Amino acid sequence: MSAILSMLARESIQQIRIDQGGRAQLGNTYTYTNILPPPLPPSYQLGLNLENAPQIDEQLFIGREDELGHLHEWLSPSTERQNVVAISGLGGIGKTQLSLHFARQHHQRYSAVIWSNASSEVTLKAAYISLAQRIRRHNKQREARQSEVAEQLKEEQAVQLVRQWLSQAENKTWLLMFDNYDDPQLPGLHSTTGYDIRTFFPYSTQGSILITTRSSRITFAKSVRLNKFDDLNQSLAVLTRRSGRQAHEDVDAKELAERFDGLPLALATAGNYISQTAESFGEYLRMYKQSWEELAENSDGLMDYDNRTLYSTWNLSLKQVAAQDPEAAELFRLMGYLGNADLWYELFREGAGSAPDWFCDITKSKPRFNRAMATLHGYSLIEAMPGYYSLHACVHDWVLKYLIGKFDLALFGLAIHCVAQNVALDTMPEYWVVNRRLNNHALRIEHCCQKEVMDWNVVDMDDIFEIGYLNDSIGRLKEAEAMYMRALKRYEKAYGVEHTSMLDTVNNLANVYSTQGKIAEAEEMYIRALKGYEKVWGIEHTSTLDTVNNLGLLYQSQGKMAEAEEMLLRALKGKEKALGAEHTSTLDTVHNLALLYSDQGKMAEAEEMCMRALKGFEKAWGTEHIPTMDTVNTLAVLYSNQGKIAEAEEMYIRALKGKEKVWGVEHISTLNTVYNLAILYAGQSSIAKAEEMFMRALEGFKKIYDADHPQALAATSYLEELMNTKN
């Protein structure tokens, strides 16, 4: 080891003789070697070296027990092989914090623990110069030779010296930490600014190496993939420790923790901000939602996150993506206008059409799309799950509010087009599966509509209609009404009042009004649509008959039983003639007649129609299709009216389970069955069950309907009466 660190000094001297004339003459030359005392055995005990590492208060570290367990096992200094582990994950997920916590907890297991900034080749070489000088100083001090300690090493000399030192046969129990290796240049992973970190590894395959990186493609290391906190209590613990305020019992703190979805940097930033201001958890959340940009720009960076902030931490990753695949970076911007939880190839492919060239290129094939997504995933900007991709909620906010900056109408229009082209009609098998999957994206579109002043004239009118249809099918009535109205204005202006696209919009808008309890508006629209269809298509066209059917239902809700029966029978005869007795559209009208006959007290006819519809739907769609579940619900109503309580309860529960599975617990159709079941329980004097169901239905109705909606008012009245009875 000493031979590496210093050379033994040698001197050459010549004896000078004086001749008789007093002249000097060179004599014989002799070479002497300085004889030094034997060097001490080399020492490799450098201890814990975290010079220039981020300053982290150990009291602020939360959780990560599983990951620490993996590091403890995989970085054992007792193994003969070289241990290489990479902690990867999104910027701000806590990779550096985990690595430094591990180092402090376990440094006594190693002869040396050395932290280096690996963010670039320049910073790592500088770290190696410092380390080389430390190694030389450590050994020179032991040998009492100081003369060469101050000698300035060149970069390559320093790298060579450190690699040799790490390769010594007696020096195998060190831990080398490379932090922030976020720009790798490796086989299959090209970067114009990156480098191959393996050129800094020891020559011998020994020791332990811990790397932190945003790249998930470090294939030569065991991977510890760091994810968000899944336990809400851990998020609340971060808020508590950072803010100095108790968060676990604070309702606003819980909402804030849920909004930040377990991202440590976001939680730490919020806690730090609150600790320095008079703001509450609730006020911080309000500012985050309403003034994201100002809040982000006026929040200080955190020392333990290397002074990074929410709005700056992901910039580096995206720049690296853009350098490798510019189309992938543009696709990432588009995701800001879509939902963050469920992104898949077909969602984008269906929107290609007349889209920009970059979008057509990236969606031309699934392998090309996957390559772009793999690049984004490689820098931890997105997550890849079986069948879909997702963005963290905070990254999603950053894309829309900071990265995109000024509202990009063209990009927003492209997002709408992608969603619209995937909407499934209710005549398609299991249409609700597709449309429920699109719900996340419909919510994002609505969010953007509320935040921005939109020029809808530049958005395709058919796309606007489809988004209205989507909202309609998943029970978001107010949003459906708004979209249908926008589409209606565009169609009227472009095509006139009798175009079929306009008439379809009028009919669907009438459906929404009817469900909302706006009876007058619904009737006006149905009659307008019916007259238009009869003129354009004729009285026996299926579109005409659908509106006849809808108008019959509206008359029934008004108590106009004769008019309702006339309309429904007209629709049934026309559909049986045009489509056949077993067509699902025909069966819809059969089911509606069953409801009418039930209201009229014609129980035999009602049950006959209901059983015909149920058998037909089960044959056509299966036992769990939406029309099947609706008919089961109607059959339960019939049994209840007939006093067949056990059969009614069985049918209601079957319908409820099916609707919850298909639509979820807050859909209108699900809530209607909950409401019916509550009435059944109330009639049985099952007060506790009835109260539970009425409360559930009422809470759901309040989210969907206006306060004066008939069904919301009826549920309120029933509940008040029930509570009076209970008391």
Side-chain angles (χ1 to χ4, degrees), residues 288-305:
Y288 181 86
K289 291 178 177 179
Q290 297 181 6
S291 309
W292 191 97
E293 300 91 335
E294 291 186 11
L295 182 61
E297 291 175 1
N298 288 283
S299 296
D300 294 332
L302 303 176
M303 291 183 65
D304 49 337
Y305 284 89

Side-chain angles (χ1 to χ4, degrees), residues 286-328:
R286 186 196 66 77
M287 288 190 294
Y288 181 86
K289 291 178 177 179
Q290 297 181 6
S291 309
W292 191 97
E293 300 91 335
E294 291 186 11
L295 182 61
E297 291 175 1
N298 288 283
S299 296
D300 294 332
L302 303 176
M303 291 183 65
D304 49 337
Y305 284 89
D306 200 21
N307 287 321
R308 284 177 285 120
T309 62
L310 275 178
Y311 70 89
S312 66
T313 189
W314 301 301
N315 280 335
L316 174 62
S317 297
L318 191 62
K319 286 179 181 178
Q320 291 162 345
V321 168
Q324 294 182 37
D325 189 343
E327 287 82 6

Side-chain angles (χ1 to χ4, degrees), residues 665-682:
V665 297
E666 293 188 346
H667 191 273
I668 295 172
S669 184
T670 306
L671 294 172
N672 285 337
T673 299
V674 170
Y675 177 71
N676 291 341
L677 191 55
I679 294 175
L680 182 73
Y681 287 145

Side-chain angles (χ1 to χ4, degrees), residues 633 636-637 640 652-653 655-656 659-660 665 667-683 689-701 705 709-722:
N633 181 84
V637 173
S640 178
Y652 276 139
I653 291 174
L656 182 58
K659 291 181 179 184
E660 287 176 335
V665 297
H667 191 273
I668 295 172
S669 184
T670 306
L671 294 172
N672 285 337
T673 299
V674 170
Y675 177 71
N676 291 341
L677 191 55
I679 294 175
L680 182 73
Y681 287 145
K689 289 183 178 180
E691 181 182 356
E692 178 187 354
M693 289 295 172
F694 275 129
M695 287 294 294
R696 178 180 165 185
L698 186 57
E699 289 176 7
F701 289 153
Y705 298 134
H709 188 277
Q711 203 158 13
L713 293 174
T716 302
S717 177
Y718 267 120
L719 187 59
E720 289 175 352
E721 183 178 345
L722 190 71

Side-chain angles (χ1 to χ4, degrees), residues 69-84:
H70 288 311
L71 295 179
H72 185 272
E73 177 186 354
W74 293 345
L75 293 172
S76 172
S78 62
T79 59
E80 291 299 319
R81 66 182 183 276
Q82 186 179 70
N83 305 311
V84 184

Side-chain angles (χ1 to χ4, degrees), residues 590-611:
V590 170
H591 172 237
N592 293 337
L593 269 170
L595 289 169
L596 176 67
Y597 289 148
S598 175
D599 285 351
Q600 290 176 314
K602 301 176 181 178
M603 294 305 172
E605 294 92 331
E607 187 169 355
E608 177 187 353
M609 286 291 182
C610 196
M611 292 304 299

Side-chain angles (χ1 to χ4, degrees), residues 71-110:
L71 295 179
H72 185 272
E73 177 186 354
W74 293 345
L75 293 172
S76 172
S78 62
T79 59
E80 291 299 319
R81 66 182 183 276
Q82 186 179 70
N83 305 311
V84 184
V85 177
I87 303 173
S88 64
L90 176 68
I93 206 70
K95 301 179 293 296
T96 297
Q97 287 74 9
L98 174 63
S99 66
L100 291 175
H101 181 76
F102 174 80
R104 289 194 174 96
Q105 293 293 311
H106 300 285
H107 68 91
Q108 293 181 344
R109 301 172 68 199
Y110 304 96

